[in-house]
Amino acid sequence: MRRRLLLAGGVVVLAAGGGWLLWPDRSAPVAASTGSLPAVEVRRTDLSSTAEVAGTLGFGASRGVLGEGPGRITWLPAAGAVLRRGNRVYGVDGVAVPLFYGSTPFWRELRAGVTDGYDVLELERNLAALGHGAELTVDRDFTGATAAAIRDWQQDRGRSRTGVVAPGDVVVQPGAVRVTAVRATLGGPAGGTVCTVSGTRRQVTVELPVSDAPALARTGARVRVTLPGGARVTGTITAVGTVATGSATQEARLPVTVTLPEAGTAGAFDGAPVTAAFQGSVRRGVLAVPITALLATSPDQYAVEVLDESGTVRSVPVHLGIFAGDDVEVTGDLAPGMLVRVPRT
């Protein structure tokens, strides 16, 4: 992540974001004939350093959807399909098993007489969201109105009007899902993993060195993502891992999740390589010059060539701050508006 300046064989070498920039070392006295080199103004500005890291575009981790036997699979979704509340996830013996939203899978039969519970609350929330049970009170208590709402829902789906919901009658997921792979086979048993699903929001997963993560990865921070083809979109850091990966010979890294906006330009890309630009330090009201204006006067000291109004060129030592794009923060005997020389491009 760090940028370094080196002097090698009369050439200034800048290591920046994995690449190298080279230009001639002009720390020696300047000949009069070089006065025609272009010059740019020293600026007072705000600088924000960035670190570009390779990542992978996808939909997040996949998880399995378990079928409840007995019975045989009679319908399966297609990989890539997006399923929302009430949609069929799979079919068993000709009966659709729909998607309900919730955080806890149903683990018992929900019928008249069951004790109060969070599963009852989840059931009633879904029935109400699907338009069943005008008299239903959404709470943890299974009442006659709950049973009536179930029968109304069952009739709407062509099921027997029992007023009972068993664990295998629905699939419970936290929200809408995207089918990542189909595991079951038509005609096969309904038990076991039917398919795998993920969330529907586009995500970028990157691994940051542990040493850089505290400065770069803050939940809620914005990250600029460059997609395949060059399109750019701004995402938000939604998760920063706490368990590092790596080995004795590799730098430890933390996983970071960047969620992209729902209405973005990510298109249908899945598993594609992207570049994520994380914002690091922010410096306000500092003096800045182009990186190419720097001259190496020794391995750890730098200068810029200032062009006076009279046309005289003088070397001014500078100390370096943060790097931001093509600019670098400098301190020294400089003022805004001064002209510093840069190589021809």
Side-chain angles (χ1 to χ4, degrees):
M1 299 299 174
R2 296 186 179 86
R3 303 173 185 257
R4 295 181 295 134
L5 287 168
L6 306 173
L7 180 63
V11 174
V12 179
V13 182
L14 169 65
W20 297 93
L21 300 176
L22 297 87
W23 62 93
D25 173 21
R26 300 192 305 277
S27 58
V30 181
S33 63
T34 62
S36 60
L37 287 176
V40 298
E41 288 188 351
V42 177
R43 297 181 299 120
R44 187 174 297 281
T45 186
D46 298 340
L47 292 183
S48 173
S49 65
T50 59
E52 292 190 343
V53 185
T56 303
L57 176 65
F59 291 88
S62 294
R63 53 189 180 272
V65 172
L66 297 177
E68 296 279 346
R72 294 194 174 276
I73 298 291
T74 53
W75 185 89
L76 289 167
V82 174
L83 307 177
R84 307 187 187 281
R85 189 193 331 248
N87 290 164
R88 176 173 53 170
V89 180
Y90 63 97
V92 177
D93 294 341
V95 177
V97 180
L99 176 65
F100 274 17
Y101 292 174
S103 59
T104 303
F106 292 169
W107 52 274
R108 59 178 177 167
E109 281 195 346
L110 297 177
R111 60 169 65 239
V114 299
T115 56
D116 295 354
Y118 187 76
D119 51 353
V120 176
L121 176 62
E122 285 188 340
L123 171 65
E124 292 181 339
R125 282 175 174 170
N126 281 278
L127 292 172
L130 292 171
H132 301 286
E135 306 299 323
L136 184 64
T137 300
V138 178
D139 55 20
R140 297 170 181 259
D141 184 19
F142 194 109
T143 65
T146 308
I150 293 173
R151 287 192 290 269
D152 184 48
W153 169 70
Q154 289 172 329
Q155 179 176 336
D156 188 56
R157 301 195 65 87
R159 292 186 172 189
S160 299
R161 299 177 71 253
T162 64
V164 178
V165 175
D169 290 344
V170 298
V171 170
V172 179
Q173 292 288 325
V177 296
R178 178 178 180 273
V179 179
T180 56
V182 176
R183 303 299 186 192
T185 303
L186 287 175
T193 301
V194 175
C195 60
T196 57
V197 298
S198 69
T200 59
R201 295 290 299 272
R202 308 308 300 271
Q203 295 181 348
V204 172
T205 304
V206 303
E207 291 189 347
L208 285 177
V210 171
S211 57
D212 293 318
L216 299 177
R218 300 176 298 277
T219 301
R222 301 290 187 179
V223 177
R224 193 72 168 168
V225 177
T226 302
L227 301 169
R232 293 182 177 179
V233 62
T234 299
T236 303
I237 297 177
T238 52
V240 179
T242 57
V243 179
T245 59
S247 65
T249 59
Q250 296 178 331
E251 185 175 9
R253 294 177 174 270
L254 288 176
V256 177
T257 300
V258 178
T259 300
L260 304 186
E262 290 190 42
T265 56
F269 290 116
D270 187 9
V274 298
T275 301
F278 290 81
Q279 179 176 294
S281 303
V282 177
R283 299 278 290 166
R284 302 191 183 281
V286 299
L287 296 180
V289 299
I291 295 172
T292 53
L294 296 175
L295 304 173
T297 56
S298 73
D300 296 311
Q301 295 180 340
Y302 309 97
V304 294
E305 289 180 342
V306 175
L307 181 64
D308 293 337
E309 293 181 1
S310 63
T312 303
V313 177
R314 60 188 177 91
S315 179
V316 176
V318 293
H319 295 284
L320 308 184
I322 68 170
F323 291 80
D326 295 328
D327 295 329
V328 59
E329 174 191 357
V330 291
T331 54
D333 186 16
L334 298 173
M338 284 184 172
L339 295 177
V340 297
R341 301 200 310 174
V342 295
R344 291 190 185 280
T345 57

